[in-house]
Amino acid sequence: MTQRSILIIEDEADIRNLLQYNLEKDGFRTVPVASGEDGLQLVRNESPDIILLDLMLPGIDGLEMCRILKADRKTSNIPIVMLTAKGEESDIVAGLELGADDYITKPFSPKVVIARIRAVMRRRSSRPATGIEPIKIHGIEIHPGKRSVIVDGRHVDFTPTEFEIIYFLATHPGWVFTRYQIVDAIRDEVAAVTDRSVDVQIVGVRRKLGDFGDIVETVRGVGYRMKEEE
Ligand code: CA
């Protein structure tokens, strides 16, 4: 297996070194840099498998980096995991909507970082199951063809919008989506959903899932996600 490489863009030396040490110990190759400018210089030559991107950077900040990397065809496919501080929820939302894959809030343990990196790589290599095959997740079954949901062996009626939301989340377990991303994903299927009404729809989805309601997780200040199966 080829060694996976990780571009670390982080201006705080302590955090950068901690990441470098632990990722290399775990078998990754790392390219650590202290600024967005250096990151942009290296990203094309190194073509890393993943980018760990601090949001608060001097010079070009993390959000601007997301914008630049996602706008360039040569770099737009490289997954980005944002490193964020508490209270940066609005920047996290902006970053996810710019195409970042995930985020990790500081302070973090190296173990968590490695687990999240592996999860992002796993999701990238296994394409979301969409189509006609039913999805089975956490004991529920979602049948896209029949547009039906079976909870605990029992058929449950979802409204078209509720159905699209749970189907979309269930095809991307573990991914956090902002309200806007959810609206954007389902708007070809159901009209007239606003990002505010997503909250109301989620309440309906959870109620209908009954004891399974907690598989749709609220990510405070950011959005929603389907719990990843262990
Ligand atoms: Ca910083």
Side-chain angles (χ1 to χ4, degrees):
M1 209 179 108
T2 57
Q3 206 182 16
R4 305 285 201 154
S5 69
I6 302 177
L7 176 62
I8 304 168
I9 307 175
E10 167 62 79
D11 60 312
E12 285 161 80
D14 289 353
I15 299 178
R16 198 171 60 239
N17 294 341
L18 177 81
L19 288 168
Q20 180 180 16
Y21 173 79
N22 284 282
L23 290 169
E24 289 185 357
K25 205 171 75 174
D26 210 68
F28 293 99
R29 195 170 73 77
T30 66
V31 183
V33 298
S35 72
E37 286 81 350
D38 289 348
L40 286 177
Q41 280 223 322
L42 283 169
V43 70
R44 281 162 170 255
N45 298 334
E46 298 287 338
S47 53
D49 292 292
I50 202 161
I51 299 171
L52 284 181
L53 175 64
D54 183 29
L55 280 192
M56 290 271 274
L57 291 168
I60 306 177
D61 69 21
L63 285 183
E64 189 56 29
M65 285 293 292
C66 278
R67 205 170 280 125
I68 295 168
L69 291 165
K70 291 298 172 189
D72 184 340
R73 266 188 23 231
K74 290 206 173 74
T75 55
S76 61
N77 282 325
I78 306 171
I80 297 174
V81 175
M82 302 178 282
L83 303 174
T84 70
K86 281 215 170 61
E88 287 184 339
E89 280 77 12
S90 62
D91 285 344
I92 294 168
V93 168
L96 292 172
E97 288 174 357
L98 285 169
D101 285 76
D102 202 355
Y103 66 95
I104 300 168
T105 308
K106 297 175 188 176
F108 46 70
S109 85
K111 266 193 189 145
V112 167
V113 176
I114 289 165
R116 301 292 275 281
I117 286 172
R118 292 200 186 286
V120 167
M121 286 176 169
R122 214 167 40 237
R123 290 177 207 155
R124 281 297 181 116
S125 58
S126 63
R127 304 190 61 199
T130 53
I132 53 164
E133 288 296 305
I135 297 174
K136 295 183 183 177
I137 185 162
H138 301 294
I140 67 167
E141 274 181 47
I142 304 170
H143 294 257
K146 294 188 267 182
R147 310 205 97 47
S148 71
V149 182
I150 294 169
V151 181
D152 218 5
R154 197 167 48 90
H155 175 87
V156 178
D157 277 323
F158 278 62
T159 67
T161 305
E162 288 167 350
F163 180 84
E164 292 305 329
I165 290 175
I166 188 152
Y167 180 56
F168 173 64
L169 294 177
T171 50
H172 303 78
W175 292 71
V176 182
F177 293 101
T178 69
R179 293 166 177 82
Y180 177 78
Q181 287 177 308
I182 294 171
V183 171
D184 199 44
I186 68 172
R187 75 167 155 221
D188 286 346
E189 309 298 330
V190 281
V193 187
T194 64
D195 49 351
R196 278 298 132 205
S197 71
V198 167
D199 295 338
V200 178
Q201 299 292 337
I202 293 276
V203 171
V205 167
R206 286 197 181 120
R207 197 180 56 235
K208 288 175 184 178
L209 290 173
D211 291 346
F212 295 80
D214 64 354
I215 66 174
V216 178
E217 298 179 320
T218 300
V219 184
R220 192 175 289 272
V222 178
Y224 296 99
R225 94 182 135 214
M226 172 70 63
K227 201 189 268 184
E228 201 162 19
E229 283 194 306
E230 310 275 294

